[in-house]
Each structure stands twice: as C-alpha cells, then as structure tokens.
Amino acid sequence: MRENPEAIKSVCILGGGTAGWMAASALAHKLQGLPVSVTLIESEEIGTVGVGEATLPHIRSFNAALNIDEVTFMKATEATFKLGIEFCNWGRIGDRYIHPFGDYGTPIDGIPFYQYWLRLKQMGEAGRLDTYAYPIAIAEANRFRHPASDPAQIESTFGYAYQFDAGRYAAFLRRFAEGHGVIRHEGKVVDCQLNPDNGHVAALKLDNGAVIAADLFVDCSGFRGLLIEQALKTGYDDWSQWLPCNRAVAVPTESRGGLTPFTRATALEAGWQWRIPLQHRTGNGHVYCSSFISDEAAHARLLGNLDAPTLADPRQLYFTTGRRRQFWNRNVVAIGLAAGFLEPLESTSIHLIQEGITELLQIFPDKHFRQSDIDEYNRRMGVNFERVRDFLLLHYVATQRDDTEMWRYFRNMTLPDSLEEKIQAWLTRGHLIRYEFGVFLPPSWVAVMLGQNLIPRHYDPRVDRLSSDEVRRAGDALKQRVSAAATATPDHGAYIRKMGAASDTVPLLAKGA
Ligand SMILES: Cc1cc2nc3c(=O)[nH]c(=O)nc-3n(C[C@H](O)[C@H](O)[C@H](O)COP(=O)(O)OP(=O)(O)OC[C@H]3O[C@@H](n4cnc5c(N)ncnc54)[C@H](O)[C@@H]3O)c2cc1C
C-alpha cells in the first residue's frame, strides 16, 4: 500500500460512554485496512452518564453500516421496539397524542393526508388524527411488525427505533470495536499536553503514568469536555433561555404488564417525566427546571408517579442545555455530551452522536487540518443542533397551558426567528418550511403541532379539488385500512420472542406477557 506522509496515523478517543464506543466502532470499521491506529481511554472510576435509552430510527443505519445483526443487538441490549413517543398533558392537561416515526396515511394526489384531515375538521367531521396512522394504531395496541417493503401497503408507512440499555449498548460496541483492533486504555487522564507551535493537543497523560500521543483526538469525555473545553477553552453557547430544564432524576422500575412499543413523555408542573420500557426493566426520569421546583419536590413527584416498584435508588443529573461554540477545534472533535446537550425530550442525543461521527468520516482530515474543512463540519453540526433545539422548543410553546410558573415562562418567551417563521407559515396555511438539514421531517412537525392544538387557519387549497363526499369517503377508507391492518399485527412482546431477540434473563417475556 502506498503511504501518504500527510495521512492521519493515529486517532485517540477520550471516553468510553455511548459516544466513545460508537465513535471507536465506526472509525475502526471504516478505516480498516488503512495504517491508522484507534485507541480509546476510559476511566471506570469516573464512569459514564448511564442514561440514554430511547433512540431515533437512524440508529438502524448506524448498526447496519457496521453489519450488526438486529437480533444479536436486541438480545445484548435488552431492546424493545420504539414506534414513537406518546406525549401526555402537553397541549392541555388531559390531552395525549403520539408522535410516530411515520406518516398519517398516504398522500392523495400528491398532497399529504393531514391536509384532507384539516378540511374534515373544518367540516366538523374529523376523527382523532391518531386514528389515521398505522404506526400509532399498532403502538396503542402494543403491537409490532417490521415495515412492509411494498409502498402500496399501509404497513409500509412507518419507521422504527429501539429502546435499549445504553450501558449494555456501550459494552456491546466495545466488544465490536476491540474485535476490529481498537486498543483500550483504562485510566484517568490527569494532564493534556499541547503542541506549543500550533496549540494542538499532542498527548494525554494517565494517572498510571502512561502517555498517549495521537494525530487526531475525539473528545467523548461527557459534560466536562476535557479536551474541547478544559484544554482548548472553546466556549459554550448556553441555550437555557429557550430550554431551561437543567436537572433530571432517573430511576428504573420493574417491567410490568404489556410491553409498550413507545416512549412516554408526560408534561408536569416544572418539567416532564419519561417512561421507557426495556425488556428487563422500565426506565423513568423527571427532567425539570431548578428555577421552578426544588430537587426534593422533583424527586417526590417522580417517585409518586411510577407504575411499578423501583429497582435502584434515584440518580441525580445536572446539565446546561446548549452547544460547544466549535465542535471541532484544532485537532480535537467533540462528540456526545462533550459537544453539547439539548435535553432528552425527543431522544436526540444519540442521533447527534451519530451525525457527528458521520460528518467526521465524510470530512476526515489529514495532518494539515484545513480550516475550511473544520468550518464546514462546525457549520453542519451547528445547524443540526439548532434544528433539534427548535423542535424541542416547539413542544413547550405550542401549548395552551398556563397553570404554573414554568408554562407561563414559555408563553412569554421570544422565540428564535427560525422557529417563529416556521410556526407562522404553519398557522396561515398549514405549510411546513422544509429545512436543508435537520433530523425531523415534516410529518414530525405535523404530529406535534396538531397534537398540541396548533390548527392552521386554512388547508392546502388543492384539497378542494375533491368534493366533501370524496374527502369523507377517503378519510373513512383510510381509517378502516389502518384499523384492519393493526388488528392483523402481532403483539410486540410475542414478536420479539418469535424473532429470537428476547433476552434469556427476562421472565416477563419468557412467560409471554
Ligand atoms: C437525563 C438524561 C436523559 C437522557 N436520555 C437520552 C435518551 O433517551 N436518548 C438519547 O439519545 N440520549 C439521551 N441522553 C443523552 C445520552 O445519555 C448521552 O448522549 C450518551 O450517553 C453519551 O454520553 P457520552 O458518551 O457523551 O458521555 P458519558 O457517558 O458521560 O461518558 C464519558 C466518558 O468519558 C470518560 N472520562 C471522562 N473524564 C475522563 C478522564 N479524566 N479520564 C478518562 N476518562 C474520562 C468517562 O469515564 C466516560 O467513559 C440523556 C442524557 C441525560 C442527562
């Protein structure tokens, strides 16, 4: 093989959480056959953040790119399927809707079905929007199947993600990465040596005396951002004015009853509560804003709101929403919590890790570290973070709630221009501005806006090509198709068992619950 003297020869990843092992696995896999060494440093004493159980459908393409078999992965991580998120009490107390990974029916004459639903609503004849979506119908009935490949079938109109044990996913990827040549160092980084000529990170010193040098460093050290912040002083854009929740308390409970193929997010007085069902336990947590509730009251609110006995003591977490001013600075690329954090309402963190890794592999540098490449990476990741911020914020501001100080805070907020424009375009004619980047596509925005009672004044005028009768018949036919297909879909737990993905340690699944 011809050697390129400018090529990166060594990559060092600092951190062995989800971000570190995802980065290590992807780099080792994609760079195999090249003369590049990948090392990873982690400290068991420091540990990982240990939460992060709900994902987005894109994780499937991450696993597929590494040729990871779905059954093996699900068994190893106690995973369940996720069809979307159920939002309770967000628009008004008592409201509920599901944001599905999929669409409401199929377009008619190229126009999305929700536009016809808006017309039905004006006619006073619209049923619950949820009843027109196959992924929602099966989620509500605790059913699951893989999407059909024939686009004519209603069973093809959705995607899916997983709910899994993040610690086990990191351990699973560690086996994968080490199997692909990644060298792991156990130890705490106590010193970071900078190159005096260019300010690049040259080497990391561990508490056992070892010194690890590398050409490129990937900072996956979590909230502390050991390299990107503590060594390179990159700076952090604090987004607390838009996303003020800054604490969480997490607690696992026993798995009880039917296995729901969706995550639940219930809005509370000063934040919200998550419920994520895995095979062996259910993850629960209360994300809250410390200006509006004390830690003691937040813990009590969570513990009083559980549907099964706890399996461990509650765990407290602190964070500041926002992003690093530069995700890539000199020869350091920050990925995961070291890059920023936008609170877990739509399970976006692991996805942003994936984006960071994908973009890095696309713009993989040589030893020159061209500033134009660095700027492009930072631009793309910056837009990704902003799009997620806007989508999360939408949940808090598309609401009629004003019953507590927190909800009143959101009512009086000045929105980022990007979100304000999007909401105004929606309200005037049900039109959604489509972004160049951003993980959430129009159906996701539709789900949240309509789910939280943000009803446009007008629907797409092209819908009027159909008569009232035709629109009525189209709606009824779709509802019947969805309902018939849902009834024929297998039970979620039974499906996991049948495909051989049930963990051997799970009595509930073994019993067929
Ligand atoms: C409350 C909450 C809920 C969340 N829920 C979700 C969710 O549902 N879905 C989702 O996608 N994401 C979620 N996340 C985010 C998710 O947990 C993280 O994105 C993910 O775990 C990645 O974390 P990380 O690997 O960046 O950092 P960490 O897990 O903190 O790992 C940091 C690593 O760096 C190492 N390290 C640090 N300092 C040193 C040192 N000096 N020397 C050696 N090693 C060091 C540590 O040992 C550790 O291995 C949630 C986050 C929070 C706070």
Side-chain angles (χ1 to χ4, degrees), residues 299-336:
H299 287 218
R301 189 74 174 93
L302 174 66
L303 295 176
N305 225 6
L306 300 173
D307 57 13
T310 58
L311 294 171
D313 289 335
R315 180 143 178 249
Q316 179 75 54
L317 296 131
Y318 302 89
F319 54 85
T320 304
T321 57
R323 50 156 286 192
R324 209 62 67 188
R325 285 211 180 111
Q326 297 175 74
F327 303 97
W328 183 339
N329 187 0
R330 299 188 175 91
N331 66 335
V332 173
V333 180
I335 292 180

Side-chain angles (χ1 to χ4, degrees), residues 419-429 431 457:
L419 179 57
E420 183 65 46
E421 283 163 21
K422 193 141 183 157
I423 291 177
Q424 288 316 322
W426 168 257
L427 285 176
T428 41
R429 58 191 196 288
H431 174 69
R457 288 186 279 284

